[in-house]
Amino acid sequence: MSSPRKRAATIRDVALAAKVSTATVSKFVNGGQRFTAEVEARITQAVRELGYSLNPMARGMITGRTGNVGVVILDIRNPYFTSLVSGAARVAAAGGLNLIIADAAESTSPELGVLQSLCRRVDGLVVSARLPAAAIQGVLDSGTPVVFFGRPSPYPQHASVGCDSHQAGLMLGRHLRDLGHRRITYLGFSGARWSADRERGLREAFQGVKASVRTVDASAPSTEEGERLASSLLLSPDRGDAIVAYNDLLAMGLLLEAQSLGIAVPDEVSVAAFDNIAYGRLVSPALTSVDMMGEATGELAMRRLIAAIQGEDVAAQENVIPPRLVARNSTRSLIKGKHLAR
């Protein structure tokens, strides 16, 4: 014979146990007001002992909030975005919020109705600054608090969190310059404004030295596209000393095809990229990359979003995360007698 189900604790039960009013419990658990340390300790202990949790529908009626936050990313298959979501999810969970993920699938025209529907289900959104302008405007018109990831953002009235792509390009360019590389091919992705920033930094790194930077445009920032372009890039007499890809996925496609084409990396050509996704260290040779700090970006963006939901002005706060160069075996020194520490 089964035992009767235990009745769920109510806000009145918590109030009685903590010797306070139901209004005081409601304000405390919803973050609407602070009380003395003694009162807060009594409420916290009562909540823990009774196993009390506020019904999401009831919370919405009290606060006007859903308890949900959203992240709109460009491609769930890209490990950079999954790491960003991981960072955002950690902060959301710590704040007692549910995270909803929307994948734009690198579309140039994501379904505006889907985004507008999402806005009605969340208290705020972390959104890629690379979404098409019409989609972003639709989100902004909804009045939903928004924090962008990916700097720079064309919306200065909203916080924009991320690494400086120009600085990342400059960092990687200087690394190659110091290794003696002078003829560079940049495999960019013009669909992202960040690509132009990375290329600009790359070119600036070679100012003052006799060098050339040639640009080739990819139609998608994917491993498949890197594989498709590999033969034309790697077998070209114009390939240069090094190929720098817009992201690790493109570079990994190049590395996979290089083996089939009989091109030795880095002995014949160095290969480097941006993002420092986890798989980059597992390919052969391990990929030199600039870490664009995806997880840290997700964490900071979600912190800023929670603050914005609570009414804080976060747009003017410092939201730039420094990139970090990770040198591995896919780049080598062309200077005789100089070896790169691994």
Side-chain angles (χ1 to χ4, degrees):
M1 183 175 178
S2 60
S3 58
R5 176 182 292 182
K6 183 179 179 182
R7 179 178 67 86
T10 67
I11 194 170
R12 180 175 174 79
D13 296 329
V14 175
L16 288 171
K19 296 181 174 60
V20 295
S21 69
T22 55
T24 297
V25 175
S26 175
K27 290 175 183 178
F28 175 67
V29 299
N30 287 288
Q33 185 175 328
R34 297 302 303 270
F35 299 92
T36 66
E38 180 187 355
V39 168
E40 291 187 354
R42 292 206 310 268
I43 297 174
T44 300
Q45 182 178 357
V47 166
R48 185 182 299 114
E49 290 179 350
L50 294 172
Y52 172 75
S53 61
L54 187 58
N55 183 284
M57 187 175 294
R59 178 182 284 116
M61 294 175 65
I62 295 170
T63 66
R65 297 176 183 168
T66 66
N68 301 324
V69 286
V71 176
V72 182
I73 58 173
L74 294 169
D75 188 355
I76 195 65
R77 299 171 302 172
N78 187 330
Y80 171 79
F81 294 118
T82 54
S83 67
L84 185 145
V85 168
S86 176
R90 185 180 304 111
V91 175
L97 299 170
N98 303 310
L99 183 65
I100 300 175
I101 304 167
D103 180 13
E106 287 290 359
S107 172
T108 57
S109 56
E111 186 60 52
L112 185 57
V114 174
L115 293 177
Q116 290 174 331
S117 175
L118 179 61
C119 290
R120 293 191 290 270
R121 298 168 57 198
V122 299
D123 300 321
L125 284 172
V126 173
V127 176
S128 169
R130 254 183 60 203
L131 282 179
I136 289 178
Q137 194 58 53
V139 172
L140 297 180
D141 289 345
S142 73
T144 305
V146 171
V147 170
F148 292 99
F149 67 85
R151 295 182 62 88
S153 164
Y155 306 92
Q157 69 273 32
H158 297 274
S160 176
V161 176
C163 281
D164 185 333
S165 284
H166 168 261
Q167 181 63 31
L170 186 65
M171 183 180 292
L172 185 51
R174 286 173 174 168
H175 169 70
L176 294 172
R177 182 197 64 193
D178 292 345
L179 293 177
H181 297 288
R182 294 295 181 267
R183 295 183 302 132
I184 312 297
T185 293
Y186 177 62
L187 177 56
F189 173 55
S190 60
R193 68 175 65 90
W194 307 333
S195 182
D197 293 333
R198 292 172 187 182
E199 180 184 352
R200 181 165 55 88
L202 187 65
R203 290 182 180 275
E204 282 185 22
F206 289 93
Q207 289 180 354
V209 299
K210 188 176 181 181
S212 64
V213 179
R214 179 178 72 112
T215 301
V216 176
D217 194 44
S219 62
S222 65
T223 303
E224 293 79 9
E225 179 69 354
E227 290 178 305
R228 186 184 73 81
L229 294 172
S231 58
S232 61
L233 285 175
L234 295 170
L235 300 178
S236 169
D238 299 322
R239 79 179 177 208
D241 309 317
I243 298 175
V244 175
Y246 163 75
N247 70 1
D248 288 350
L249 294 180
L250 282 167
M252 289 167 61
L254 292 177
L255 291 177
L256 290 171
E257 279 298 295
Q259 296 181 16
S260 299
L261 295 169
I263 302 296
V265 178
D267 293 339
E268 296 181 62
V269 60
S270 289
V271 175
F274 301 87
D275 283 349
N276 191 38
I277 63 175
Y279 300 122
R281 61 186 175 83
L282 302 178
V283 294
S284 181
L287 180 63
T288 290
S289 185
V290 179
D291 194 336
M292 301 303 288
M293 311 300 285
E295 195 162 332
T297 295
E299 289 180 354
L300 182 56
M302 186 55 66
R303 289 195 198 100
R304 293 290 185 260
L305 180 63
I306 292 172
I309 291 169
Q310 294 172 345
E312 296 182 29
D313 182 3
V314 298
Q317 295 185 24
E318 180 58 50
N319 295 315
V320 182
I321 301 171
R324 180 175 64 97
L325 175 68
V326 182
R328 298 192 180 97
N329 293 330
S330 67
T331 52
R332 74 179 185 99
S333 175
L334 301 183
I335 301 173
K336 188 174 180 180
K338 181 174 181 177
H339 299 281
L340 180 65
R342 301 295 178 188

